Amino acid sequence: MVQIDSPSASKGEGGRYTLSAGTLTAVVLAVCLAQIALSVPSLIIGLIQQDLAPSSSQLTWIAEAFMLPVAALGLGFGVFGDLFGRKRLLVGGAALIVVGSALAILVPAEGSSTDTRVTLLLVAQVLNGIGAAAVFPTSLAMVAAGTHTTATRARGVAIWATALSVGGFLGPLLAGLAAKIELGWAGNANWRWAFVGVLVIAAVSVVLSLALAQNSASPEGRSIDWPGQITAALGLFALMYAVIQGPESGWGSPQIVMALIVAAVFLVLFVFVENRATEPLLLLSVFRNRAFAMNSVVTLIGMFAFLVIMYSTSIRLTTIQGFSPLKSSVAYLFFGGIGFVLLPFTSKLLGRYNPRWVLCAALILIGASGLWFAGVPTSNRALGAIVAPLILAGVGSALAIAAISAVAVNTLPNHLAGMASGVTSTFRDLGFALGPAIAGAVALGRAADEIARKLAGDPELRNAYEAFQASAAHAPADQRPQLEAAVHAVESGPLGANSVPANITLPDGQVMPFNPLKDVAFDALSSSYSLAYVLGGVAALVAAALTLVGARGGVAQAHLEDDPHTLED
């Protein structure tokens, strides 16, 4: 039974902890904040690239540094919430996002080295990720532990999932508006205003959680289990490092091979120690419940697919097509905003039908959107050309996130709410992290090979590129820094080569050729990210098929279905 740590916790039938309106409000803002912090960098990554001039690997790490702790620490924070009170984690997670956002705002201007500036931003992203890692499983566990009937569980999970989706829209919108602010930082440095917005929302979340949230816990059968915590975190960290750094260092390089070996060793050790722990971090026996096990696999593949599609769309609009962050944020109105519109419909679906069927339909919609995106050429710069696949992806993701969460928390009893939400958050966020990393590796690797092939096969293009590389050395002293920055950007990889214009206009109005690789990079990126869309679409359809196979194979019924009205503790 759920333990009540706070005298202010509301009690429902039988004295059980029942989710109050105040707690739900605090949960909604907290999970929305965590998703805003996750999604903000996707729309300002172009400005960050132009301001900090990072390498392709550094740029990938800036986007992925947030997801690394989210994927690696979700299980642990599920335990901490059960043991020490979920309100404390809700407050602490938001407070960490305040600190991380403040550090991002304080990243030095152009006087410092690129490595120093990038390192500080990476630390800021890691802190924000740790904060979000606390919020995601804790918030879902609070909803699950406080709802005890089919109707209240469906409504609570639908609201939680909608807050997640809305945060995914508000983050890019915040980033787009921030890029338009003319006060303080100028030009490309305006990306810092986005983190000002995140900091303010995080501070409000801290205050609201302190004032309104109930401090529930469920310590029975739970312990910190340090061997499990350490082996899981190190194994997942090493795996993520290998996936992110592999394309830059080479999959056969010693550091990547060693990282994969370390990941395998620690994940095997995790299984070993959990089998012998008195109160394990993760009860491995929960995976004997086929509904829960299948849902975990589908969660990983499905969320990987959705993030591949969302990440590819972000790169398509901002870095390839060169749309402003504000204009690009319109796409996220569909990705995340649709979830808000669908809230009543989602709640009814989850209450009336088996969530697995809702999940299967949602994944089919996501898969169709990826294949549709792949067929729309990047040369078509009209947003109207991608509205239909955006709607499919938005509807699919809203239903999928809600259904995944419902299956997870319905399948296990209430006293394991923290574990169920922690496992689901880990698989979901691992899919979120692997999506951009693998899509970026596939697309950027293919684009780089295409550019190299064009250079090798076209002597005229190669000569023009060599002249461009040497231009800074022969330029006047006052023009040299800008030229060196442009050359460095083009040399950094396909995204950098596409960001530098092919022609420049001189003060006298004369237009002269500048970056000879601009058009080559554009074409290479366009074809490569079409392939990434196909990858995302196929992965979503595979996940949908697995959902059907599991259902036809007699997957164990969800725990909530033991009684259609009440969830037994």
Side-chain angles (χ1 to χ4, degrees), residues 219-446:
E220 181 183 353
R222 303 295 265 154
S223 70
I224 294 181
D225 181 20
W226 287 115
Q229 298 274 358
I230 294 169
T231 52
L234 290 178
L236 290 169
F237 180 87
L239 175 63
M240 291 302 304
Y241 174 84
V243 170
I244 296 168
Q245 191 64 31
E248 179 82 6
S249 301
W251 292 104
S253 65
Q255 69 189 90
I256 299 304
V257 172
M258 182 58 66
L260 291 172
I261 292 173
V262 169
V265 168
F266 276 105
L267 291 177
V268 169
L269 280 175
F270 172 73
V271 174
F272 179 82
V273 300
E274 292 305 277
N275 271 324
R276 286 155 178 77
T278 304
E279 294 182 348
L281 171 66
L282 172 61
L283 282 169
L284 297 178
S285 60
V286 299
F287 291 106
R288 295 175 190 161
N289 182 318
R290 294 181 60 196
F292 188 79
M294 182 63 74
N295 188 63
S296 299
V297 174
V298 169
T299 297
L300 176 64
I301 299 174
M303 293 302 95
F304 164 81
F306 174 61
L307 256 291
V308 167
I309 293 169
M310 191 167 77
Y311 170 76
S312 298
T313 303
S314 173
I315 295 294
R316 172 194 174 106
L317 296 178
T318 59
T319 309
I320 300 176
Q321 294 184 322
F323 288 173
S324 70
L326 185 58
K327 187 174 182 180
S328 301
S329 70
V330 173
Y332 289 84
L333 173 62
F334 297 96
F335 277 136
I338 286 179
F340 182 76
V341 177
L342 288 179
L343 175 58
F345 178 66
T346 304
S347 180
K348 288 180 181 178
L349 278 180
L350 295 180
R352 186 171 299 176
Y353 301 103
N354 189 317
R356 288 196 301 274
W357 297 111
V358 178
L359 176 57
C360 180
L363 291 168
I364 291 173
L365 291 178
I366 293 173
S369 75
L371 299 179
W372 194 330
F373 268 121
V376 181
T378 311
S379 56
N380 186 343
R381 296 175 181 265
L383 282 176
I386 59 172
V387 165
L390 280 172
I391 291 174
L392 289 181
V395 173
S397 65
L399 294 177
I401 292 171
I404 283 168
S405 305
V407 172
V409 298
N410 288 353
T411 304
L412 299 183
N414 254 22
H415 72 274
L416 295 178
M419 183 180 294
S421 56
V423 171
T424 303
S425 292
T426 296
F427 278 94
R428 183 191 67 237
D429 297 330
L430 189 57
F432 281 174
L434 291 175
I438 293 178
V442 171
L444 293 179
R446 189 172 184 272

Side-chain angles (χ1 to χ4, degrees), residues 2 21-22 79 90 196 254 259 311 326 455:
V2 175
V79 172
L90 211 64
V196 173
Y311 170 76
L326 185 58
L455 280 170

Side-chain angles (χ1 to χ4, degrees), residues 16 143-144 146-158 346-355 406 409-410 414 558-568:
R16 292 179 295 188
V143 171
T147 52
H148 308 281
T149 67
T150 302
T152 57
R153 174 66 56 80
R155 179 175 175 272
V157 170
T346 304
S347 180
K348 288 180 181 178
L349 278 180
L350 295 180
R352 186 171 299 176
Y353 301 103
N354 189 317
V409 298
N410 288 353
N414 254 22
H559 187 87
L560 192 63
E561 294 170 353
D562 291 344
D563 182 325
H565 303 293
T566 303
L567 177 62
E568 298 292 342

